[in-house]
Amino acid sequence: MCTVKQLHEDMLIRFIAADADLTLLWAAAVGKRPGVALRQKVVWITGASSGIGEELAYQLSASGARLVLSARRENELHRVKRKCLELSSLEDEDILVLPLDLLDRSSHREKTDAVLQHFSKIDVLVNNSGRSQRGLFLNTDIDVYSSLMELNYLGTVSITQHVLQHMIHHGDGIIATVSSIAGLVGAPLSSGYAASKHAIQGFFNTLRTELTDYPNITISTICPGPVVSQIVHNAFSEQVNKPLSNAGDQYHKMSTERCVRLILAGLSNRVKEMWIAQQPFLLVFYLWQYTPTLAWYITSLLGRKRVQNFKAGLDADTAYFTKPKAKTS
């Protein structure tokens, strides 16, 4: 017989080892499998040319989903398509390469129509496109903030509106949007990015309540912590056209493969909000949810460390709890 103390110790060990919220981990352990729930579904992925979007394409194709791959770089989309075909039994016509610029909102109706013309339906939209940010607010041009909101927020809202009209007509579908831990918690050096992700959270939380008459349409927000991807390399700096000087290494971050496996578990089981992060970042999610006063204290400590790293010319995310080492050439 387990004692109460042993039970608490077991729960603590499980939490320390956890890399997602309990609902999502439960779905991954005992819920529907992607190969069953998503097989033959038409999944439109924006930002599919790299990072989480690219890995989503690979794992979805292996699960038998039919794909629409969108991003601005058409040549990279064709590369991803070729690998998807190698990893799966899909045919060429099962994967549509559809270049898309989220900033060109006037084209979003035409792009949606192109998907419907090819597949006749859209079962899942994964809003994954976006850019991050590294820079102190006082040193950052206001144009950076405008660009982040135009891309991360308004571009996502625009494509969602067109796809949702189709899903309402059919009475079924999933709209999943990759937000961030920064959509729930302020992130120093990423004030504009955090603002755009907070906007995403507020928008989709509200949209979900507007769709109560359509119970088979699921609005899902995905909130990853640090994950290996290209988003840091493409991040805005203090000026719109100024590249980031140092993206840093990513050894401390969750693997893209693990993150996407959890996302697919959430989509397969229609989880409405997914927290995906290794410790201590997962703990930060829970602290902000249940003990905000303590969360403010810890976030301030982490934020100070992040700003210090950045001012020292180091990767802002590296080594929160150990002395950071500058990269050697």
Side-chain angles (χ1 to χ4, degrees), residues 114 124 135 147-148 167 171 185 197 203 237 241 256 266 282-283:
V124 182
S147 297
L148 283 162
M167 289 183 176
V185 181
K197 293 301 185 180
F203 171 78
S237 62
N241 296 316
T256 315
L282 182 63
L283 174 62

Side-chain angles (χ1 to χ4, degrees), residues 231-242:
I231 192 168
V232 177
H233 297 272
N234 298 325
F236 283 106
S237 62
E238 294 89 351
Q239 300 171 16
V240 170
N241 296 316
K242 180 183 175 183

Side-chain angles (χ1 to χ4, degrees), residues 30 67 105 122 128 139 159 217 227 231-232 257 289 304:
V30 302
L67 302 176
R105 297 198 296 273
I122 302 170
N128 175 65
N139 300 332
I159 203 72
I217 296 179
V227 174
I231 192 168
V232 177
E257 293 81 2
Q289 185 77 12
R304 184 178 297 112

Side-chain angles (χ1 to χ4, degrees), residues 223-256:
C223 302
V227 174
V228 176
S229 75
Q230 294 297 309
I231 192 168
V232 177
H233 297 272
N234 298 325
F236 283 106
S237 62
E238 294 89 351
Q239 300 171 16
V240 170
N241 296 316
K242 180 183 175 183
L244 193 66
S245 59
N246 178 22
D249 59 59
Q250 302 195 37
Y251 73 90
H252 59 289
K253 300 182 180 181
M254 176 185 282
S255 72
T256 315

Side-chain angles (χ1 to χ4, degrees), residues 17-34 38 52 55-56 59-60 176 178 220-227 254-279 282 285:
D19 57 4
D21 67 86
L22 298 179
T23 301
L24 183 53
L25 290 176
W26 179 261
V30 302
K32 297 177 182 178
R33 304 288 95 183
L38 299 175
I52 290 174
E55 182 62 26
L56 274 168
Q59 293 194 29
L60 281 165
V178 178
S220 180
T221 48
I222 303 161
C223 302
V227 174
M254 176 185 282
S255 72
T256 315
E257 293 81 2
R258 173 60 178 169
C259 178
V260 169
R261 280 198 298 272
L262 290 167
I263 291 173
L264 293 192
L267 295 180
S268 299
N269 294 279
R270 296 191 176 234
V271 176
K272 292 182 174 63
E273 185 166 286
M274 310 177 206
W275 299 353
I276 302 173
Q278 296 172 328
Q279 300 292 8
L282 182 63
F285 277 110

Side-chain angles (χ1 to χ4, degrees), residues 113-317:
D113 289 343
V115 176
L116 295 175
Q117 183 176 1
H118 187 88
F119 285 117
S120 301
K121 65 174 184 174
I122 302 170
D123 296 300
V124 182
L125 170 65
V126 182
N127 290 310
N128 175 65
S129 288
R131 288 181 68 179
S132 186
Q133 176 195 17
R134 291 291 184 273
L136 292 166
F137 168 65
L138 290 177
N139 300 332
T140 302
D141 290 348
I142 198 68
D143 289 344
V144 171
Y145 291 87
S146 175
S147 297
L148 283 162
M149 293 301 290
E150 287 282 344
L151 176 62
N152 293 358
Y153 175 62
L154 290 176
T156 296
V157 169
S158 174
I159 203 72
T160 294
Q161 187 175 59
H162 293 295
V163 173
L164 182 59
Q165 290 170 356
H166 162 74
M167 289 183 176
I168 286 176
H169 178 73
H170 286 271
D172 189 70
I174 300 173
I175 293 178
T177 302
V178 178
S179 179
S180 168
I181 188 174
L184 302 173
V185 181
L189 306 175
S190 301
S191 54
Y193 175 74
S196 69
K197 293 301 185 180
H198 273 67
I200 284 291
Q201 292 287 135
F203 171 78
F204 282 104
N205 285 346
T206 303
L207 178 60
R208 190 182 292 117
T209 66
E210 291 186 5
L211 296 175
T212 53
D213 289 338
Y214 303 93
N216 293 324
I217 296 179
T218 299
I219 303 296
S220 180
T221 48
I222 303 161
C223 302
V227 174
V228 176
S229 75
Q230 294 297 309
I231 192 168
V232 177
H233 297 272
N234 298 325
F236 283 106
S237 62
E238 294 89 351
Q239 300 171 16
V240 170
N241 296 316
K242 180 183 175 183
L244 193 66
S245 59
N246 178 22
D249 59 59
Q250 302 195 37
Y251 73 90
H252 59 289
K253 300 182 180 181
M254 176 185 282
S255 72
T256 315
E257 293 81 2
R258 173 60 178 169
C259 178
V260 169
R261 280 198 298 272
L262 290 167
I263 291 173
L264 293 192
L267 295 180
S268 299
N269 294 279
R270 296 191 176 234
V271 176
K272 292 182 174 63
E273 185 166 286
M274 310 177 206
W275 299 353
I276 302 173
Q278 296 172 328
Q279 300 292 8
F281 303 102
L282 182 63
L283 174 62
V284 172
F285 277 110
Y286 279 94
L287 291 177
W288 273 101
Q289 185 77 12
Y290 298 111
T291 59
T293 300
L294 178 58
W296 270 117
Y297 175 74
I298 293 176
T299 302
S300 295
L301 293 178
L302 296 177
R304 184 178 297 112
K305 184 79 169 183
R306 199 167 192 251
V307 171
Q308 287 173 350
N309 284 348
F310 180 77
K311 288 182 174 179
L314 305 172
D315 176 31
D317 290 332

